[in-house]
Every structure is written in structure tokens, then in C-alpha cells.
Amino acid sequence: MIEKTELNRGWMLSCNVTGRRDLPAEIPAHVPGCVHLDLLANRLIPDPYLDVNEITNDWIGKEDWTYRCSFDASPDAGKVHELVFEGLDTVATIVLNGEELGRTFNMHRIYRFDVSKRLKQDANELVVTFRSAYAYGAEMEAHYGYRPNNYPGPGNLMRKMACNFGWDWGPTLVTSGIWKPVRLESWQRARLAETRVSPTLAGGDGRVTVRASVERHDGVPAKLVATIAGVSHVAEFPEGTDEVEFQLTVPTPQIWWPHHLGAQPLYPIQIELRDGVSDDLLDSYSKQIGFRSVRLYTSPDEHGSAFTFVINDVPLFLCGANWIPDDCFPSRVSAERYISRIEEAKAANINLLRVWGGGIFERDEFYEACDRAGMLVWQDFLFACASYPEEEPLRSEVEAEVRDNVVRLMPHPSLIVWSGNNENIWGFNEWGWRPIIKEGVSWGLGYYLDVLPKLCSELDPDRPYYPGSPYSGTMEIEPNADEHGCKHIWDVWNDVGYEVYRNYIPRFCSEFGWQAPPNWATIEESVHDTPLTPVSNGVFHHQKATQGNDKLIRGLAGHLPVPQTMDDWHFATQLNQARAIRFAIEHMRSHRDVCKGAVVWQFNDCWPVTSWAALDSAGRRKPLWYAMQQAFDPRLLTIQPRNGGLAAVAVNERTLFWRAKISGKRLRLDGTVLAEFEFWRLLCDRFEAKEFPLPADIAAPDDAGDELIVVQMLDRRAFHYFVEDIDLKLPAPQASIELSATTDGYAVKVTAETLLKDLCLMADRLDPDAVVDSMLVTLLPGESHVFALRTAKALSVGDISMGSVLRSANDLVARN
């Protein structure tokens, strides 16, 4: 059996520029980790997450750094000894006992070096020197020539996390280091070199295809023994080859489903490499796998061409969000943090996370957590917002990286698609790249249309591949077309108000978003300006989008008044973000016969920042999180414009039909009923959007500024206002508040004395660790709502103040 020795202790770090900033000659280092974290742990730099400290750390990415450790070994001449690096960031030279083992140029792949002839008895010195990514990037630009890039730095000229160099939601913190585990492996006779496990459904049975190759030391006969769910198979390696392929059939397994439809049964598969003569165990492979089928339906239809994921033969509407690296320093994202974030996504009724192409292939723990949670995963290959050379040495690095990660991730049932790139085909067509990229100069298209699909077909033929996002399905049609493929909507937010979302009915929207600041407690923890204002130095520095603050204010136009205080600016922009995305999602879901997915940009943050995220960098839920929870409810009731009037639209993503009385009222804001209707019964089948035209006396107001519509179907309720808040006669908010203790906090009962629109309890204003179960609640006069507040802090009813802890749209309108 393979002996594995983790090399995670005794590392020291040094800067290769002598006397740089009075750094010690050697700095204790943590592996896995990176230079920034080691400097931070040793109190040698200020925390780059705070204030404007990011800019004081720019020098780190421009220097070369060396990691050094000593480890004991007992080399055996009868064994192969290999150093295995799971992740090196990025341009590194590895030296053992004074001899160079090799050089690396890729953050996203595994490196293995045979050290059998270099390993010494007892003490061995391992040195890993990292070259500045900036210096290497300059060399590569001289080699390839200039390639357009929408963001700073040379991330498109090397295989490194692109957002390391800065993005419109993230800082420029250019890392170096041993960011994943490193170990010494010792083995004899043979080891598994590559193991590809592809589970799927074949009718009612589960089918597992296993393709494996071995590396041999002494030509020993070898065999594989595979076991799953009581089914075993023994495969002998044919003479003269080191590869084998076979299938196992599991009769009538339980099927793996996304969480909103069913359970997530997982089956352990064990594959053992054994000596063909002695039956000794030489190596092993184990995974938890699930049985499900997936295909991506893209055929032409009456609307253009479809973009529909079909899971277990069920065409689905996917309720998704984009995932970025959860930390600027990925090595400190723990398995527990992955689990927490994915559970937060699940609680928001998200069933798909798109792992975006400007980041990383996440660690195994991320995909394992998604498997257990029933969270579908769309995985971009790592190309984003730039043109990429297709020449050497980049091409070979891409191929090796893709092979490593496809093989590693393909067993996961949560993973449903490989996608070639983020916005690069769109960029070539519409961002002015064409005049810059001369005829015959590569820009990445060969990866997306040739290299990647061929590798996916070879390695993982049971999972769909799509060339990019957005992409229409052909280079003959504009890549971001409404009627074909997947679409990104970014004129909304960048140029126009969120009401323009209704101009689009995409086949699948894989990016759309709206900005807002992080939660108040997160701002206070990360920025220490006095006073805090939208343009105070720290707050402004943590807004990375070009003209981002201007767009926040412009986006309020026609909806909410311009806020006059920092508190109102913070709440108004968070509320507007939540409303914009809720508006877009409800619109797209109401057209589910055409549109089959809405994937919000973005779910998470990597540092404290004004961004498009629903969950800020501290893991706190912004109001957007609650808007997504409501708008992604598997049973949604919404009011939408239809045929010159209004219709209530019931949308059902559950497995059972939804049948209930539907009723509605047109009311004054003071609660006076002006018209009402009742219909027995509305039937909405599973996976259907059912429209119910509202009667004319409901849909037409007498006084648009003083009226609203409320429609109800069981416990689901939808509201419609005839004008925006800025023209709505919202009263000053009045309510009574009751507070009662619970096992984990308090129940906060709010009884409205006036209409309260989009009532929010801002939990972090009471306690930075507090969490509330609901937000964006609208109450008619006399109605009550109970907020479940989870906190360990002692509170009194006096702490729950209107206009500070309890906020509503009324605050913003009535004050202006």
C-alpha cells in the first residue's frame, strides 16, 4: 500500500530581495497557505481586508519568495518515492537537496516528481522558490504579444486565479505559495496513475464506468477489484497495457436528485489495485457517488433554440447563483465554511451554483458538500473576460489542467455541465477586441470549440459540455442573443434601471445582478472611517466597480428618493438590490415555458465590498438573500403584466400539482377594500407557470398613488403597486412591537398600524452574530408578523427601534 507522509510542518519563508522592508531573514510559514497569510500571521503586514490596507500590500506580488523545509526520510531502493504537490501558486522552481526537480507554471494542476534517486537517509532539504507573477507575465507578454483583458494584470497569460489581479468586486492581492497539501509518497510494484469513475443511469439501473491506468515499478501483474452496493468486479490488465475499462451495474438504485425534488442517496465505491500474483493491496481509490442522468437540450424550437437541463429525464427551471472564490486566500476556506455557504444557498432556495471561470476549481470538499446537499454545480473552465493565447507553453498547461480536474471532479453527481469560458466569445464579438486581435492571432476560441470539447468527450463523455457563457450555440449568431443559448444581462445595472429586465425573455440567464453594500456590521468591522459615508476613503475603496456608487444612486431613480444620510443610503441601496433581483427572477420564472434558468450574479463575496453578492464576506445575509429565498420559492405567486392588463402567475417547481382557491383585492393603502375577487380553484401542474388574468376592476386603479393589489393562493401572497415608491403615498411607519424569549434568541412580533412595505429587521444592528429568519415582509394595517431572531445577546423591546433596527420602504419615502 502507498505510504503517504504529509509535509506540512517546519516550513520557513523568505523574501528573495535582501533587506526588503526590514523583513526577518526567515519567517515561520504555514503549508498549505500563501505568502500574504504568513506575513499576516507574523504581524509583518496590515490586514489587507481592512480600510485601504490592500494598497500597502501591492509589493508582495512583485517579489520572489522562497519556502524551505527539512524532513526526515528512509529511502528504500525497492520503492518509488515521489513528491506530490496538489497545488503550487504559480511559477515555481522545486529543489531537493540542492538538485532541481522541475519548474511549475500552473496553479490549477497537480505535480508529481520522482525523487527515488535524490532522497537521502534522515534529513532532506526541500526548497520551493516562487517567481513574481507580474515578472513572469511580462515575459509571457513579450513571448505571445498583447492580448486584450477586461481586468488588470497578466492573468490571461498564465494559469493562475484571474481575480487574484483584481476584479470589480475583489482586491488586487497577487499571491504566491504552496496553497494545497504537499506530501511524500512511497510505493512499490504499481500505483493507480489515473482513475476515472463515471456514474449514470441506464434505464432503471445504475451504471458505473471505470477507466483506470497504472504506473508500474517492476512489471508486476496487476488487477483491479471494484465494489459498490454489493456488486463486485475484478478486471485484469491485458498483457502489454497499463489501462483497463469496465462497467458495473447496480440494480435499481435510489436516484440522486437536486434538493427541491428528492433525496441525495450516495453509494461508496471502492477500487483496489492488487498484485495479480500475491493479491497484495498496492493502492486504492474511494468515492461517494450518486446515480442520476443529465443532458443539456439545445435543439431548435419555435422561440429559437432551447437551453434546458434535463435531470433524470425531467426538464427543469434552475434557480441559481454564481459562486466566486470565497476568500482571496483560498487555502483558508475550510470544509466547514464550504458546508455553511452551501447550506445558506440551499436555504435561499438556490438549486444551482455556477463556479465562475475567473476563480479556481474548488477543492473536493466543495463538491462533496454539494453532493450531500443536492446542490447542482455548473463548472466553468478557467477562462474569464479576456483573450487567451493558444500557443505553447500555455496550451499544454491548459490541457494538463483540464485533464487533472475533469478526472478529479467527474464522479460527483452534483456536477452537471462543463462550460468553456466566461464572456470571452462575447468579448471578442462586442467589446472591441476584433480590431486589436489581428487576423491569424489566437484568442482562445480554439480552446472553447476544439481542445476542451475533445478532452471532455474523451475523459467524461456522460456529462454535457457547452462552449461558454454567454453563447448562442453557434458563431453564426450573436453570442448573447435572447433566443438562443445562455445569456448575460448587464445593460441593466450598468446603463439602465431594473425595470428593463422585462424587455428580455432569455432561454437561460446565467448572469444578471445588482449591487449593494455589505451588511452594516461588516462595514464597521472592515472600515474605520470617521464618519462613515459612501465616499469616505475606506468605504469608497471597498467599492471596486467603475462608477459603482454613481450607479447605485442612478439605479434608485424612478423607484426611491435619493437618500440624505449614510443609514438611509445603506438601507436604500440594499433594498433596491433586493427588489431588482426579485423583479428579474419573478419575471423570468413567469415565462418558464421559454426561459429555463435564472442564475444571479453573485452568491458570495471574497472580501468586504460593495458588490452584487447575497451573502457578504462575513457570511451575513443581505436583504437580497431573503429576496432570492422568496423569488426562488418552488411555489411562487407573482403578479405580472400580460396582454395590456395584469395576471397572477402561479409557478410550480414541486413534484405535485398545486391546486387552491385564488383570491385578490384592490385596496387603499389604509386597508380599505375597493374591489375583490375569488376563484375556485386554480390548478397549476408540476413544472408549470399558470396565468390567471385579473379582473378589470382589480387591475385598474382609481388613485394609483394610494392603492395596491394583494392576491393570495393558500399561504403564498403577491403584491402589486400601480406606481413606484417615489410616487406612492406611503405613510410614516407605525407599529407595535412585542418581544418574547425563545430557546435560541427571541420572537419579535410586529403588528402594523399602517401599511408597512418591505419590512426588514436588520439583525446585525443588534448583534453582529445575530441572524433573522425573514425580511422584506409587507403588512397591511392590522396584520402581524413574527421575526425569529437568533442571538445570544440579551435584548429588550426598546432595542427594536423603528427606523433603525426595523426598516421599511416607508422610512425612505415618508422622510422625503
Side-chain angles (χ1 to χ4, degrees), residues 460-509:
D460 190 19
D462 293 326
R463 186 175 278 109
Y465 168 84
Y466 197 72
S469 180
Y471 186 59
S472 62
T474 171
M475 293 299 290
E476 304 305 313
I477 297 174
E478 184 268 317
N480 205 30
D482 248 21
E483 304 84 2
H484 304 274
C486 52
K487 181 179 181 68
H488 293 191
I489 300 176
W490 282 117
D491 59 335
V492 180
W493 163 253
N494 279 318
D495 303 311
V496 294
Y498 68 76
E499 63 279 359
V500 177
Y501 279 127
R502 278 195 179 138
N503 292 357
Y504 301 109
I505 306 177
R507 307 312 306 268
F508 190 104
C509 192

Side-chain angles (χ1 to χ4, degrees), residues 220-243:
V220 64
K223 63 182 178 182
L224 286 186
V225 180
T227 305
I228 182 172
V231 177
S232 295
H233 181 85
V234 179
E236 304 280 351
F237 284 87
E239 187 173 350
T241 181
D242 292 326
E243 298 180 354

Side-chain angles (χ1 to χ4, degrees), residues 74-309:
S74 300
D76 183 336
K79 295 182 178 180
V80 175
H81 303 280
E82 294 178 314
L83 273 175
V84 181
F85 294 87
E86 290 192 16
L88 292 167
D89 176 17
T90 292
V91 182
T93 301
I94 299 96
V95 174
L96 179 66
N97 297 326
E99 294 187 61
E100 183 176 314
L101 299 180
R103 301 188 179 196
T104 73
F105 302 91
N106 195 324
M107 179 180 181
H108 309 298
R109 56 176 291 204
I110 298 170
Y111 289 94
R112 182 180 290 268
F113 300 98
D114 188 340
V115 296
S116 304
K117 296 179 181 179
R118 295 178 172 90
L119 206 61
K120 297 193 304 187
Q121 183 69 33
D122 299 326
N124 292 264
E125 185 183 55
L126 177 60
V127 179
V128 184
T129 299
F130 291 93
R131 189 178 179 198
S132 162
Y134 284 114
Y136 179 73
E139 182 181 303
M140 288 300 98
E141 182 167 342
H143 173 72
Y144 295 121
Y146 172 73
R147 296 294 196 286
N149 187 346
N150 211 37
Y151 288 91
N156 58 329
L157 305 179
M158 65 183 70
R159 301 311 297 155
K160 179 173 173 59
M161 183 169 77
C163 61
N164 228 198
F165 295 95
W167 222 262
D168 52 10
W169 38 255
T172 301
L173 294 169
V174 180
T175 54
S176 295
I178 305 169
W179 77 287
K180 285 186 175 182
V182 54
R183 62 184 174 271
L184 178 67
E185 291 189 359
S186 302
W187 54 275
Q188 55 186 350
R189 290 179 270 183
R191 71 170 182 89
L192 289 168
E194 182 178 273
T195 307
R196 288 183 275 146
V197 174
S198 180
T200 189
L201 287 172
D205 292 336
R207 184 187 68 205
V208 185
T209 302
V210 177
R211 302 171 181 89
S213 61
V214 296
E215 182 177 342
R216 303 178 199 252
H217 177 42
D218 55 12
V220 64
K223 63 182 178 182
L224 286 186
V225 180
T227 305
I228 182 172
V231 177
S232 295
H233 181 85
V234 179
E236 304 280 351
F237 284 87
E239 187 173 350
T241 181
D242 292 326
E243 298 180 354
V244 68
E245 178 177 339
F246 59 90
Q247 290 185 342
L248 297 96
T249 299
V250 177
T252 60
Q254 296 181 61
I255 296 175
W256 188 97
W257 289 95
H259 65 81
H260 69 299
L261 295 180
Q264 294 79 46
L266 296 172
Y267 293 80
I269 183 169
Q270 182 76 18
I271 300 172
E272 297 177 342
L273 176 65
R274 290 187 172 272
D275 188 306
V277 177
S278 68
D279 202 41
D280 290 344
L281 179 61
L282 305 178
D283 198 357
S284 66
Y285 171 102
S286 60
K287 285 285 184 183
Q288 296 273 337
I289 65 173
F291 292 103
R292 59 100 187 93
S293 65
V294 58
R295 66 182 187 274
L296 178 56
Y297 182 75
T298 58
S299 295
D301 60 19
E302 67 271 27
H303 306 290
S305 56
F307 194 93
T308 305
F309 286 98

Side-chain angles (χ1 to χ4, degrees), residues 419-600:
S419 179
N421 75 90
N422 176 78
E423 298 189 340
N424 296 347
I425 299 174
W426 188 25
F428 179 77
N429 273 21
E430 297 188 17
W431 295 355
W433 295 0
R434 282 181 183 270
I436 300 171
I437 300 174
K438 295 181 172 58
E439 185 72 28
V441 174
S442 66
W443 55 272
L445 188 64
Y447 293 136
Y448 319 136
L449 299 187
D450 182 43
V451 174
L452 299 179
K454 284 179 179 176
L455 282 168
C456 287
S457 178
E458 173 201 342
L459 300 171
D460 190 19
D462 293 326
R463 186 175 278 109
Y465 168 84
Y466 197 72
S469 180
Y471 186 59
S472 62
T474 171
M475 293 299 290
E476 304 305 313
I477 297 174
E478 184 268 317
N480 205 30
D482 248 21
E483 304 84 2
H484 304 274
C486 52
K487 181 179 181 68
H488 293 191
I489 300 176
W490 282 117
D491 59 335
V492 180
W493 163 253
N494 279 318
D495 303 311
V496 294
Y498 68 76
E499 63 279 359
V500 177
Y501 279 127
R502 278 195 179 138
N503 292 357
Y504 301 109
I505 306 177
R507 307 312 306 268
F508 190 104
C509 192
S510 42
E511 277 192 27
F512 63 103
W514 198 272
Q515 263 204 352
N519 280 10
W520 189 261
T522 303
I523 295 177
E524 288 194 321
E525 289 168 358
S526 57
V527 176
H528 303 98
D529 300 342
T530 305
L532 290 169
T533 75
V535 293
S536 61
N537 288 336
V539 175
F540 188 72
H541 183 74
H542 287 253
Q543 160 64 281
K544 293 295 187 178
T546 302
Q547 297 183 310
N549 278 2
D550 295 340
K551 293 175 184 179
L552 287 173
I553 296 302
R554 187 184 66 205
L556 297 172
H559 301 285
L560 290 166
V562 175
Q564 302 302 309
T565 68
M566 178 64 178
D567 282 351
D568 280 359
W569 174 85
H570 183 262
F571 177 63
T573 53
Q574 282 201 332
L575 176 62
N576 208 45
Q577 178 191 42
R579 287 179 168 181
I581 298 307
R582 182 171 60 186
F583 180 94
I585 294 170
E586 291 189 6
H587 162 68
M588 292 181 208
R589 289 190 65 190
S590 77
H591 291 282
R592 83 173 305 284
D593 58 328
V594 176
C595 179
K596 287 299 192 290
V599 185
V600 176

